[in-house]
Amino acid sequence: LLCDIVWERKVEVKEKPVLITLIDNSSSMLNYEDSSIVKNELSKVQKELEIKFGDKYEVLTLLVDGQTYSGKPDFKGETSDLSSGFDYIYNRFYNKNIGAIIFFSDGNFNRGVNPSLTAKKISLTPIYTIGIGDTIDKKDQMIQSVIVNEIALLNNQFPLEVTVQARKTGKISSKIRIKKGEKLISEKEIQYTDGKIDFVTEQFELQASELGFNEYTIEVVPVEGEFSYKNNIFKFYIEVLDARSKILILTEAPHPDISAIKSALEVNKNFDVETVLLEEFKNDSKKYELIVVYNPTPKIISKLDRTNTALWCVLTSNTSSQVVKQLNLGIDYPSSKRLDNVMGTFNPDFTLFEISELLKKSINDWGGIHVRFGEMKNRVGSVAIFQQVAGVTKKDPILYFIDRADRKIGVFAGEGLWRWKINDYRKNRNNKAFNELLTKTVQYLTIKANKDPLRIILPRRFKTSEQIELRAEFYNSSFEKIVIPDITFQLQIGEQKFNYDFAKRENDYLLSLGRLKEGKYQWTAKTVFNGKQYVKKGEFVVDNVSLEDLTIKSDFKILKQISKRSTGKFYELKDWIKATEDILKRKDQVNIVYKKSVFDDLIHFKWLFFLIIVLFGTEWLLRKYNGAY
């Protein structure tokens, strides 16, 4: 025993054949006239198979919809990926003794590949397909496809395309109605010209007039005798954003440069540009993402002293060096009134944002711009464009940026932007490069860094078939991730509210909501740290995937093809018992018998243990009896 001896022995193993029942668990299985008996019938099937095959077979039931798993069928699957069922069997039971597969389905799939192609992998196994439903065309209208963007900009129009399929309706007319909430906002009459099978596509232009998620409903007016009304209705959500950045151009007097700046920025629809003279300025700078100050003066500075709004200062020949110092723009601005005509050249080490090769080349070709004569040292900024004189690049900046804790600042130290715009058009026959320079500058200045201590990470859209998981992060004053405070989460749909707590992990927080029903949800996350409360709010939508409602007839061709390729047979649901009789008659359904070596440690043999106890005990008794030790 101390030598750890291993004992080898041969054992005979009998492997019973496996009988796999694969059931299509998608909701389309209940779309037919016999759907009321499908659940009861399949419940009988499982019991009957246990009774009939339990002794000779290993009976196993699998369900397939969007994935393959074990359980009892409830026919709530929102997608049909039938090919995944055969993939699962092939991978899990590779080289196993599969006696037969009984596959219950309507033959329709809307995910994955054609199941008959995947079933070829296990073509040596007989597959008996049981068809559920019927293949008869029915009188019906359905919304076959909807094409629409998920996001629209406030006060803009967005397109919607709806395709309706009609079967056996005759040459009649119907209507497509578009509702926002409960309000009818658009309606079009459609005409079916074939009568047997028609496809009608209509386009709509809808107005994005309300911020946030807006619920829309498409309805096809029912006709008498339709098989199903469920596929006449389709709901979708549009997220309306006010993505436009409000930009103020503030000046004391008009100038051609101001017109050049405004026209370049207005090309981008995401910019809402307003030009205001100082005397008309209402000191409401907080409503703007960026203030472009042309020729800053003491009066303008006094108006902007208490704002943290991003600034873009354009310094001109009239700008005072004292004003530049007061604004703390990080350069020594010459006080001389003398002007110098310089070219611009792009700084190859500039990394704050990317610019195109066209713009890099164009900057060198745009000609001169007027700057103050004298040395203009830059101490703190990232320079994008340097001054160039007679082909020599100076260290003096034309365009540079300062990123402070409270705001971003851009500085253009020159006058004559309108010349650059004209020269750009003269050389390229467009203002693409000039517009890019100003657009990229403004985009950089208007993007704000997220410095909120509490962050909730979740997409804005989910599907009813998805498991929803949210992440949260919390940062301390040193901007280090911590998981000290507890974070609560409240979810609201309509009048219903649900409360949750985030689970702490090593570096962040996690919350699993599972699957949610269709609708628009508002959420609120809260936490308290060092006596201060932090709150984040938002919303998301859960879309219903209604692909299964589009199914109104079965596809037995696929089921027959699967059976034919695998030496099985096809039966309708009412005749499923014949499939079991066929399986029992097959002579290739046998046990596999094989021998395998089993290695056991000698110490695991119980009889040896008791033998040793008996021998030691006997010896002890004999020695004690004879008086010898």
Side-chain angles (χ1 to χ4, degrees):
L1 294 178
L2 294 176
C3 290
D4 196 19
I5 296 172
V6 177
W7 188 276
E8 180 186 5
R9 59 193 175 92
K10 300 286 185 180
V11 296
E12 189 177 86
V13 179
K14 289 185 179 180
E15 185 180 315
K16 293 194 293 186
V18 182
L19 177 64
I20 300 174
T21 306
L22 182 62
I23 300 175
D24 182 351
N25 195 45
S26 61
S27 60
S28 67
M29 294 277 278
L30 303 180
N31 284 357
Y32 312 102
E33 291 182 354
D34 62 352
S35 62
S36 58
I37 64 170
V38 169
K39 283 187 177 181
N40 294 332
E41 196 67 21
L42 286 179
S43 180
K44 290 179 185 177
V45 167
Q46 290 177 290
K47 292 178 182 177
E48 186 71 24
L49 291 177
E50 286 288 347
I51 296 170
K52 196 174 264 190
F53 294 92
D55 295 333
K56 297 181 180 179
Y57 290 78
E58 181 186 344
V59 181
L60 178 69
T61 300
L62 296 174
L63 307 179
V64 59
D65 41 47
Q67 56 187 348
T68 304
Y69 50 95
S70 301
K72 292 184 178 180
D74 57 10
F75 306 106
K76 292 183 179 179
E78 296 173 343
T79 56
S80 300
D81 184 3
L82 304 183
S83 62
S84 69
F86 294 107
D87 264 331
Y88 180 89
I89 293 171
Y90 174 77
N91 293 322
R92 180 178 172 185
F93 297 95
Y94 184 74
N95 278 341
K96 296 290 185 180
N97 182 20
I98 306 177
I101 298 171
I102 305 177
F103 179 37
F104 291 85
S105 177
D106 59 1
N108 291 299
F109 65 96
N110 46 48
R111 288 285 187 272
V113 300
N114 190 317
S116 65
L117 300 176
T118 315
K120 286 175 66 177
K121 295 180 181 179
I122 47 177
S123 57
L124 296 178
T125 301
I127 302 175
Y128 290 84
T129 53
I130 312 299
I132 292 175
D134 59 72
T135 59
I136 301 171
D137 259 338
K138 303 169 184 68
K139 184 178 183 178
D140 196 57
Q141 300 177 104
M142 69 175 70
I143 300 172
Q144 188 181 56
S145 70
V146 175
I147 301 175
V148 65
N149 293 330
E150 293 183 348
I151 295 174
L153 295 179
L154 183 65
N155 297 324
N156 283 5
Q157 288 192 323
F158 61 93
L160 167 68
E161 182 179 287
V162 182
T163 299
V164 177
Q165 180 190 131
R167 292 176 177 269
K168 299 181 72 173
T169 56
K171 298 180 180 181
I172 62 171
S173 64
S174 184
K175 290 181 179 180
I176 301 176
R177 292 173 177 165
I178 313 295
K179 292 182 178 180
K180 181 182 176 185
E182 297 299 323
K183 182 182 178 182
L184 180 66
I185 59 173
S186 186
E187 181 179 79
K188 285 188 179 181
E189 185 171 305
I190 54 176
Q191 183 71 41
Y192 302 133
T193 56
D194 181 86
K196 295 179 181 178
I197 179 168
D198 284 270
F199 294 90
V200 179
T201 300
E202 290 290 344
Q203 279 87 25
F204 297 84
E205 288 287 334
L206 306 181
Q207 184 76 16
S209 56
E210 187 179 344
L211 285 173
F213 284 101
N214 292 261
E215 180 188 284
Y216 293 85
T217 304
I218 305 171
E219 294 180 2
V220 178
V221 176
V223 297
E224 187 179 352
E226 269 195 78
F227 176 73
S228 171
Y229 296 139
K230 287 195 301 182
N231 50 21
N232 288 34
I233 298 175
F234 183 90
K235 284 187 178 182
F236 66 95
Y237 294 86
I238 296 294
E239 185 179 8
V240 179
L241 304 174
D242 189 3
R244 295 174 300 172
S245 298
K246 290 185 178 295
I247 299 166
L248 171 66
I249 302 176
L250 185 62
T251 181
E252 284 192 354
H255 193 281
D257 281 355
I258 296 173
S259 177
I261 294 170
K262 185 177 181 182
S263 62
L265 296 181
E266 286 180 333
V267 171
N268 191 320
K269 292 182 179 180
N270 292 324
F271 295 150
D272 183 5
V273 187
E274 185 180 353
T275 303
V276 176
L277 293 174
L278 181 61
E279 60 189 29
E280 300 169 353
F281 184 52
K282 296 179 181 178
N283 205 17
D284 52 354
S285 57
K286 290 184 178 180
K287 74 177 185 178
Y288 300 100
E289 277 72 47
L290 173 67
I291 299 177
V292 181
V293 180
Y294 191 84
N295 184 28
T297 63
K299 288 183 179 179
I300 292 178
I301 292 175
S302 65
K303 294 282 188 179
L304 303 177
D305 268 349
R306 296 181 181 179
T307 180
N308 291 327
T309 306
L311 290 177
W312 185 22
C313 298
V314 182
L315 309 182
T316 72
S317 58
N318 295 319
T319 304
S320 165
S321 59
Q322 291 301 317
V323 169
V324 174
K325 187 179 292 186
Q326 193 174 345
L327 283 170
N328 193 18
L329 298 183
I331 59 170
D332 297 325
Y333 198 62
S335 57
S336 169
K337 293 295 183 179
R338 183 180 167 189
L339 299 180
D340 200 359
N341 192 41
V342 300
M343 308 280 283
T345 184
F346 179 72
N347 177 13
D349 297 324
F350 181 74
T351 58
L352 293 184
F353 52 83
E354 294 292 325
I355 68 172
S356 66
E357 292 299 322
L358 171 64
L359 177 53
K360 291 177 183 178
K361 182 178 181 299
S362 297
I363 290 172
N364 295 324
D365 297 336
W366 280 345
I369 194 165
H370 291 155
V371 300
R372 281 278 181 88
F373 179 80
E375 191 174 16
M376 198 182 300
K377 289 183 179 179
N378 172 255
R379 298 187 300 273
V380 294
S382 298
V383 180
I385 302 176
F386 284 117
Q387 294 181 19
Q388 186 184 99
V389 178
V392 177
T393 300
K394 300 171 64 179
K395 294 299 182 183
D396 303 65
I398 292 179
L399 176 64
Y400 68 96
F401 300 90
I402 304 170
D403 192 355
R404 294 191 179 136
D406 57 342
R407 70 163 82 168
K408 290 180 180 178
I409 297 177
V411 180
F412 190 89
E415 186 177 344
L417 276 167
W418 63 273
R419 294 190 184 92
W420 278 10
K421 180 178 180 180
I422 291 174
N423 287 333
D424 184 34
Y425 188 86
R426 180 174 58 83
K427 289 185 175 293
N428 301 314
R429 292 300 172 191
N430 59 53
N431 287 122
K432 186 177 179 181
F434 181 79
N435 293 346
E436 180 188 347
L437 175 64
L438 271 66
T439 298
K440 291 285 183 73
T441 297
V442 169
Q443 284 176 338
Y444 169 74
L445 292 171
T446 53
I447 293 174
K448 296 180 180 178
N450 186 359
K451 296 182 180 179
D452 291 338
L454 176 60
R455 299 184 183 184
I456 307 298
I457 299 101
L458 77 163
R460 302 274 286 172
R461 286 178 178 271
F462 297 95
K463 292 183 173 61
T464 50
S465 58
E466 287 183 86
Q467 295 285 340
I468 298 176
E469 285 191 347
L470 319 179
R471 284 180 52 240
E473 295 175 348
F474 191 84
Y475 294 83
N476 61 17
S477 56
S478 299
F479 215 67
E480 299 168 325
K481 273 188 191 179
I482 59 172
V483 288
I484 297 172
D486 296 323
I487 301 176
T488 61
F489 188 85
Q490 185 180 82
L491 193 64
Q492 181 175 353
I493 178 170
E495 298 299 320
Q496 291 181 299
K497 294 181 180 180
F498 307 93
N499 294 308
Y500 305 88
D501 292 306
F502 275 93
K504 295 178 180 179
R505 301 197 295 184
E506 185 177 353
N507 289 314
D508 61 2
Y509 299 77
L510 181 68
L511 173 60
S512 178
L513 299 177
R515 294 182 181 181
L516 297 177
K517 65 180 182 180
E518 177 190 10
K520 181 171 72 171
Y521 293 80
Q522 281 79 37
W523 59 265
T524 304
K526 294 181 180 180
T527 190
V528 176
F529 184 64
N530 287 340
K532 184 177 179 181
Q533 186 179 60
Y534 300 90
V535 181
K536 298 284 284 187
K537 294 183 179 182
E539 62 180 359
F540 63 83
V541 297
V542 178
D543 290 313
N544 182 27
V545 181
S546 56
L547 293 173
E548 294 296 308
D549 292 339
L550 301 181
T551 302
I552 60 172
K553 70 173 185 175
S554 304
D555 188 350
F556 289 167
K557 289 181 182 178
I558 287 179
L559 300 179
K560 291 175 181 178
Q561 196 174 27
I562 291 172
S563 294
K564 187 177 180 181
R565 287 178 174 175
S566 64
T567 70
K569 287 185 179 179
F570 167 81
Y571 294 99
E572 292 187 26
L573 181 60
K574 62 182 180 180
D575 299 321
W576 73 268
I577 199 71
K578 293 182 181 179
T580 63
E581 294 170 355
D582 285 348
I583 294 171
L584 289 172
K585 290 177 184 177
R586 294 183 71 104
K587 295 182 179 180
D588 55 357
Q589 307 291 296
V590 295
N591 294 337
I592 294 178
V593 181
Y594 59 91
K595 288 186 177 182
K596 68 176 183 178
S597 295
V598 177
F599 297 90
D600 295 311
D601 290 323
L602 202 60
I603 199 170
H604 291 156
F605 287 89
K606 291 183 179 179
W607 62 267
L608 181 59
F609 170 77
F610 289 111
L611 177 61
I612 291 172
I613 295 297
V614 170
L615 290 175
F616 276 124
T618 302
E619 181 185 359
W620 180 80
L621 287 171
L622 289 173
R623 284 179 179 275
K624 188 169 185 179
Y625 180 79
N626 292 322
Y629 297 94

